[in-house]
Amino acid sequence: MADRGASALSLPDDWPAHPDPILALNRMGSFDWDLDTGLMQMDAQAHEVFDMRPDEYDDHPETLAKRVPPDESRRLDTAVSQALKDGSENYGAYFRIRRRDGTLRWTHTQGYIRRDDTGRPRRIIGIIRDATQELGESDARRDQAAKDEARREQTSVVELTTAALAHARTVQDVIDVLKDTHGLTHLGAASLVMGLVEAGRIRLVAEGPSDSFVPGTRVTRIDEPYPMSEAVRTLGPCFIESPQEFAERYPILWPHITDLDITSAAYLPLIVQARPIGVMGLLYSDRYGFTPEERNILVALGSSIAQSLQRAMFYEQEMDLAQGLQQAMLPRTIPSVPGADIAVRYRAATIGGTVGRDIGGDWYDLIPLPGGRVGAVIGDVQGHDTHAAAVMGQLRIVLRAYAAEGHPPATVMARASVFLHELDTDRSATCLYAEADLSTGVLQMVRAGHIDPLVRHTDGSCRRVTVPGGLPLGLSAEFGRLDYPVGTIELDPGDTLLLCTDGLVEQPGADLDDGMRTLTALVDTGPDDVRDLADRLIDVAAERGGDDDVALLLLRRRGPDSPESGRRLQRHVAPGDPGALAEARRMIRIAVAGWGAGDRADEIELVADELITNALMHTEGSAVVTLRAFTGSERRLRVEVEDSSSALPRRREAGDSGVSGRGLLLVELLTDVWGVEARGGGKAVWCEFVVPAPG
């Protein structure tokens, strides 16, 4: 390959003049690198810098690998890649090449990146020069380069961590980013602890690795002699530079962490608006002390984490408020209906991580009516915000009132439409109202722009019921079309009516009919029990995701041979009222004995007491205990304990005392079946016992 002279490679007009005339005397060549073809042309002087003959270079940069050591090549590639990625116009880097005689020589390259109109890099024109005279034969420049590289690596810790935290929405997300293997690798730490400041105390929320927890530090006071407490107390970082310093300053803590081989540590207060919201500790096992640059970088890291943590805390607070508003608008309790099994479910959507848009206008309701009839309602107010939830709450209440007054279904729907139209809101609502006479199985249904219901028969088959409909609520009043047609069907014993909102049906890329067919097939193969079927449907909706909330109501008409409701007792137990708790226990004891529970009386009383106690201990409101007896082919006693908390019970490890944490295990061991039902703004934990027939 013929040599290419320097004149063949024209540098840009605005290429900076060399700042040092002496350095300009060094051997210097030029190159032209076509990024589309990957070919890089060099002139004769560049060949001399690399100590290569012209016939040894074939215009492929990979050929230079025999002259550039791997470590140097990686560092050079990183500098070039970063410049290409971040939109830079040029880059510069020092690196070493290995000459034919095996010696290393410092060189310097500087490249000018040319991009097209879209900003895509297409070509690099630059120079390569011998930097031996500039750097000399000493290690000073080499050490400086290493320091610069270390500083860049430390700075990238903040950048990498900040980038990872950008996607964290909750406090747990922040913890997960910092605790996982990549997070600790970025931070360069062997172990991490994090605590949140709450009411003058520090509550530990994360420690890693899992075997690094120190007993007694789960909750600590700010005035205690711990490094986390000191960082919060002084609002300044606490740096510990050696094991000896750690042992001297914190003799209470040090014996518990000696097995972690800690050599130094940094405890950073997480401060937002001059107020500490938490503290993070990074423990190292491969370094002693911290340079001023390292301390500054760690302080900057703490500031970045504090901002992410506060954002996550605000998000969770607003989420709690939004979900509380949504739950308050839904029915707090669903009444028991003689002759029917009922299950209701609700799932909120999360739209783009936007707080407030998790609130929807979907609702369900079950309304006891005179003569043993029952009204079932499903509806959806337009929109996903607090206004939609507020309109939903008002509409649900008036529709319930109209139905309870005894108006026929068409009148109930028409009056609700007029109410919504007069509410001075721009929202409309779809709704389906079904009035059921469970003694005959006759259902009268009115549909206002809502999707059709489904009916599942006793043989497991499921079909879509076409119900004549009218305009959505609000719109029918606006256009004067308040005559809603009524559809009538009959539920045979064992049949199940399914009402839902379109969030359970609609899927991206599919029309409504396809979604209804998919739902029908899912119900067709679902479990027989309405509670289990409701759980399956809502789980499928959760797995599928979507940008709409879901409300679901299932009503199954009991067959003539199914267990019928027998005797029923109910007691309200207020928190902090030992008399009410004792009276509830007495009621249960007398009832199970009088109803012939036999040998299971003690088990029923024990489980009921456990459920009531859990409701009072772990929720802020009162508990309602209901005891029912069912007769039929199998005698059963059912215990329900209802509270106002939507948090589901979970099995926990038993506490140190050996008493706490065994509640659900006890319930599971002693009952024949148990479960949890959502009840509007709360839940009900229920269990059933099969009891022997008398005699």
Side-chain angles (χ1 to χ4, degrees):
M1 180 174 61
D3 290 354
R4 298 174 176 82
S7 60
L9 303 178
S10 58
L11 295 176
D13 296 336
D14 57 350
W15 191 269
H18 203 289
D20 191 339
I22 297 178
L23 298 181
L25 299 175
N26 291 338
R27 185 183 296 110
M28 180 174 67
S30 60
F31 64 87
D32 188 339
W33 189 359
D34 189 327
L35 298 179
D36 291 331
T37 64
L39 300 179
M40 184 171 71
Q41 299 178 0
M42 298 194 306
D43 61 10
Q45 288 81 2
H47 292 158
E48 293 180 9
V49 172
F50 280 102
D51 198 11
M52 298 184 73
R53 294 188 300 271
D55 59 351
E56 292 180 311
Y57 182 65
D58 58 0
D59 289 352
H60 289 84
E62 296 83 1
T63 309
L64 302 176
K66 61 183 178 181
R67 287 288 180 262
V68 183
D71 290 344
E72 302 292 328
S73 178
R74 282 192 294 271
R75 191 154 54 83
L76 181 59
D77 288 344
T78 299
V80 176
S81 299
Q82 184 64 34
L84 294 174
K85 185 184 302 183
D86 62 19
S88 300
E89 294 184 356
N90 56 72
Y91 65 86
Y94 288 94
F95 65 100
R96 290 177 296 175
I97 64 171
R98 189 174 299 279
R99 296 172 56 85
R100 294 177 183 277
D101 59 8
T103 60
L104 293 173
R105 181 174 65 187
W106 279 105
T107 58
H108 180 266
T109 184
Q110 190 168 359
Y112 178 83
I113 302 171
R114 288 189 168 179
R115 304 175 185 269
D116 59 20
D117 294 339
T118 66
R120 177 184 174 188
R122 309 302 296 267
R123 184 181 177 193
I124 299 178
I125 300 174
I127 59 172
I128 180 76
R129 61 184 177 82
D130 182 356
T132 303
Q133 181 177 350
E134 178 183 351
L135 300 181
E137 298 298 330
S138 68
D139 293 334
R141 178 59 67 178
R142 189 183 313 168
D143 292 341
Q144 184 60 44
K147 290 180 181 179
D148 292 342
E149 180 66 20
R151 187 179 297 108
R152 283 191 295 270
E153 291 178 356
Q154 293 164 6
T155 304
S156 70
V157 169
V158 179
E159 297 173 351
L160 290 171
T161 305
T162 302
L165 289 173
H167 303 285
R169 294 171 51 192
T170 66
V171 173
Q172 188 59 50
D173 290 343
V174 174
I175 294 171
D176 291 341
V177 168
L178 300 176
K179 277 186 62 177
D180 73 1
T181 303
H182 298 294
L184 286 175
T185 301
H186 291 160
L187 297 172
S191 181
L192 173 145
V193 290
M194 177 181 285
L196 298 181
V197 177
E198 298 176 352
R201 297 176 181 271
I202 300 174
R203 178 172 63 88
L204 194 67
V205 294
E207 74 279 341
S210 57
D211 57 353
S212 61
F213 173 66
V214 177
T217 61
R218 184 68 65 191
V219 177
T220 55
R221 299 191 311 273
I222 294 179
D223 58 356
E224 291 190 79
Y226 290 112
M228 293 179 72
S229 300
E230 180 178 330
V232 172
R233 203 167 50 242
T234 62
L235 299 182
C238 175
F239 293 102
I240 305 169
E241 303 197 332
S242 68
Q244 295 77 16
E245 182 183 356
F246 212 134
E248 292 174 2
R249 293 176 60 180
Y250 308 104
I252 298 177
L253 181 61
W254 177 248
H256 296 285
I257 63 174
T258 52
D259 294 339
L260 299 178
D261 297 326
I262 301 303
T263 58
S264 61
Y267 290 87
L268 311 172
L270 306 179
I271 302 172
V272 177
Q273 297 178 346
R275 181 178 65 89
I277 62 172
V279 59
M280 182 181 71
L282 298 173
L283 287 77
Y284 301 89
S285 58
D286 59 352
R287 67 161 63 184
Y288 289 83
F290 301 90
T291 65
E293 292 86 355
E294 290 170 340
R295 294 187 179 217
N296 291 336
I297 288 173
L298 287 174
V299 170
L301 175 65
S303 177
S304 175
I305 294 174
Q307 296 296 328
S308 297
L309 186 61
Q310 185 192 44
R311 185 175 64 248
M313 293 170 71
F314 282 160
Y315 178 85
E316 290 188 350
Q317 291 171 4
E318 295 182 16
M319 277 293 297
D320 289 342
L321 179 61
Q323 293 175 356
L325 175 61
Q326 178 72 51
Q327 294 295 336
M329 295 300 177
L330 289 171
R332 180 169 180 178
T333 60
I334 294 297
S336 298
V337 178
D341 295 320
I342 307 294
V344 294
R345 297 291 185 271
Y346 174 81
R347 173 191 173 270
T350 301
I351 306 177
T354 304
V355 177
R357 297 201 69 193
D358 302 297
I359 306 176
D362 291 21
W363 88 94
Y364 54 77
D365 207 352
L366 197 71
I367 310 167
L369 301 173
R373 294 171 297 118
V374 63
V377 184
I378 200 80
D380 183 1
V381 175
Q382 175 191 9
H384 291 86
D385 50 27
T386 54
H387 185 52
V391 171
M392 176 269 285
Q394 297 175 78
L395 188 58
R396 183 184 71 81
I397 292 172
V398 299
L399 195 148
R400 184 182 184 91
Y402 293 145
E405 288 177 354
H407 298 291
T411 303
V412 170
M413 199 69 82
R415 291 196 173 192
S417 181
V418 172
F419 170 83
L420 183 56
H421 178 59
E422 295 176 349
L423 200 57
D424 192 23
T425 177
D426 59 349
R427 306 301 173 95
S428 61
T430 65
C431 184
L432 192 149
Y433 174 59
E435 185 178 290
D437 185 337
L438 296 172
S439 62
T440 62
V442 174
L443 265 71
Q444 293 183 302
M445 291 185 288
V446 179
R447 187 171 63 87
H450 204 77
I451 59 176
D452 288 322
L454 301 179
V455 170
R456 176 176 173 171
H457 300 290
T458 53
D459 61 0
S461 63
C462 182
R463 66 183 177 90
R464 177 180 179 178
V465 179
T466 302
V467 178
L471 291 176
L473 301 181
L475 295 180
S476 62
E478 181 177 353
F479 293 107
R481 298 171 59 181
L482 292 171
D483 294 329
Y484 283 98
V486 179
T488 302
I489 65 170
E490 184 176 349
L491 279 186
D492 292 329
D495 287 353
T496 300
L497 174 71
L498 184 150
L499 307 179
C500 66
T501 55
D502 54 9
L504 188 62
V505 176
E506 293 180 341
Q507 301 181 48
D511 61 22
L512 182 62
D513 290 335
D514 290 337
M516 290 295 288
R517 282 190 286 269
T518 300
L519 176 61
T520 301
L522 189 62
V523 175
D524 188 66
T525 58
D528 294 332
D529 185 84
V530 292
R531 302 178 188 88
D532 296 338
L533 179 59
D535 288 337
R536 178 178 179 183
L537 295 178
I538 212 71
D539 288 344
V540 169
E543 293 170 2
R544 189 174 61 214
D547 57 0
D548 201 0
D549 44 349
V550 176
L552 173 66
L553 186 150
L554 296 174
L555 183 150
R556 178 179 180 270
R557 184 188 176 200
R558 291 180 183 156
D561 297 328
S562 299
E564 297 291 339
S565 294
R567 286 160 287 188
R568 176 178 180 271
L569 291 175
Q570 190 173 73
R571 177 72 62 177
H572 180 275
V573 183
D577 186 356
L581 181 58
E583 187 63 24
R585 290 169 175 165
R586 180 174 177 273
M587 178 197 77
I588 295 168
R589 183 165 56 253
I590 295 174
V592 296
W595 292 351
D599 295 336
R600 306 209 68 178
D602 291 340
E603 297 175 358
I604 298 172
E605 183 180 349
L606 179 60
V607 169
D609 185 75
E610 181 67 27
L611 294 181
I612 298 171
T613 303
N614 282 346
L616 296 177
M617 287 181 58
H618 301 297
T619 64
E620 297 179 356
S622 59
V624 178
V625 56
T626 305
L627 195 65
R628 291 187 177 93
F630 298 96
T631 59
S633 59
E634 183 179 68
R635 296 181 72 246
R636 292 178 293 119
L637 284 179
R638 180 183 177 94
V639 179
E640 293 183 3
V641 176
E642 185 176 334
D643 59 60
S644 59
S645 171
S646 60
L648 298 180
R650 58 187 178 89
R651 183 181 299 172
R652 299 179 293 113
E653 295 294 332
D656 297 335
S657 64
V659 176
S660 175
R662 302 186 186 274
L664 288 186
L665 178 61
L666 183 68
V667 172
E668 186 173 310
L669 289 175
L670 296 182
T671 62
D672 294 299
V673 62
W674 73 282
V676 183
E677 293 180 4
R679 294 287 178 84
K683 67 177 180 301
V685 183
W686 61 269
C687 56
E688 292 183 355
F689 301 81
V690 177
V691 296

